[in-house]
Amino acid sequence: MREIKAFGPEIIDEYTTLAYNTYPSFKDYSEEGINEFKELVLIRMNDSNTQYYGMFDNGELIGAVRYIEFDMNLYNKMIRSAGIASLAVKLNHKKQRIAKELIDFLEDLMLERNIVVSMLLPFRLDFYKKMGYGFGTKMNRYRFNPMNLPKDTQESKIKLIERDDLGGVFACYNKYMNKTHGMLNKMDEEIFEYETNPQNLIVANYENDEIDGYILMEFVNGKDDNYTINHLYIKEFIYNSIDSQRKLLEFVRKQADQVQIVIFDTLDDSFSYLIDNPASDSNNYIPFGYLETNTQAIGNMYKILDVKKALEEHIAKSYNNVDTKYRLIIQEDSNDQELVVNHDSGSINLNSTEYDYTIKMHIRDYTVLLLGCTNAQSLFNLGLLEIDNPKYLKEFDLAYYSSKKPINNTDF
């Protein structure tokens, strides 16, 4: 008999075997590596916002998943959201719909807890897309010479932060989170990584005796047989003013005597405008006349679990004060959900029966539209949004337009 239930440290050995077999390329099989993995799992299990669930077959663990709750900034309103992570299925139980059943279980759990936004970092994009998850903001990885950063001559108060003095760093992060669409609160394991990873370096800029911006970074060797070739990997770049941004970038620029390449990951697709020469050190060329500047990757995927509840209770969106009324048909697993939506000067009404046009789209596409990852015109151009009267497309597009895509650098 199969059942899904929560589990904890009592079966950590069984879970470790399952996790290692599911993600073998990412695991250290030495005794020290296995113990470090177990230590990380215990940190996660002790986090009050995290719970492991397993599918058991007559007491045998044949699948597992990690459930995490977050505080999420959604259009400058902090809401409760949840993430799905570490999905694993025992090797001899593949293709038995165990993964889907575990996800369905967690989505039902979220709805019971009045959570309507589910997110995950995928290992198979197509699998989760079929499950109704839409692609979030793309990550951009730049590789450039630090001398290409803008020069800044302001007096700065840049300091190296010790691991036992991180309070100001997290206060700076929380300030940024509270004003940035898509950001999540720091998890316990992230804080543990800050405190314990000896390779992490943190530099911060102070304004009025408070940390106003910081960089989490790591020096990495750029060539195995040459210790003088150094790259600077910027893991996190948080700032609450343009002054702090420029002062921190100037700090990075000044490392040019020691660093040949800066590796910079950002969800800001406008970042290349800031660099004098954003061309990658790959020297790749795309005909005709295009130089590679960065590589892109899809990470966070999102799903709105209850559209009606999300619109009524959770989404603090002004819809750009557009007045428009439409019938919304949301498709998922051949089951259509239908709502009549009226926008009136920034407010939303789902109780009316009047509408001027009908919009039809899949839940994954409506999710990323609602969260601001893309726009209605682009979805229409791709055939992912249907409208029965195209003359209303412009006002529908404007209602859902967002100048800021969701930003989230949490690795869960």
Side-chain angles (χ1 to χ4, degrees), residues 12 27-28 34 62-63 65 82 92 102-103 139 171 179 181 186 190 193 198 325 327 344 352-353 371:
I12 193 168
K27 298 295 184 287
D28 179 352
I34 293 173
I62 61 173
V65 67
N92 58 326
L102 286 168
I103 292 173
M139 179 68 76
K179 64 180 183 181
H181 174 49
K186 287 287 185 191
E190 290 182 280
E193 165 75 10
K325 48 189 178 181
R327 181 172 63 136
D344 183 10
S352 174
T353 59
L371 297 186

Side-chain angles (χ1 to χ4, degrees), residues 154 172 175-176 179 205-207 211-213 237-248:
Q154 301 178 82
C172 176
K175 184 177 179 180
Y176 180 82
K179 64 180 183 181
N205 180 63
Y206 283 77
E207 299 290 341
I211 293 177
D212 189 59
F237 185 24
I238 299 293
Y239 56 90
N240 287 305
S241 68
I242 298 300
D243 280 350
S244 285
Q245 179 225 64
R246 292 305 170 93
K247 290 173 183 177
L248 288 165

Side-chain angles (χ1 to χ4, degrees), residues 357-360 380 385-390 392-393 396:
Y357 57 100
T358 297
I359 295 286
K360 187 175 183 180
F380 175 78
L385 180 155
E386 297 178 24
I387 182 169
D388 65 342
N389 193 338
Y392 289 102
L393 178 60
F396 182 79

Side-chain angles (χ1 to χ4, degrees), residues 340-378:
V340 174
V341 184
N342 284 197
H343 298 280
D344 183 10
S345 300
S347 64
I348 194 164
N349 177 13
L350 301 181
N351 297 315
S352 174
T353 59
E354 297 182 4
Y355 59 91
D356 295 323
Y357 57 100
T358 297
I359 295 286
K360 187 175 183 180
M361 56 199 311
H362 197 277
I363 183 61
R364 58 177 169 259
D365 300 314
Y366 183 72
T367 292
V368 294
L369 175 64
L370 185 61
L371 297 186
C373 306
T374 188
N375 60 76
Q377 182 68 59
S378 294

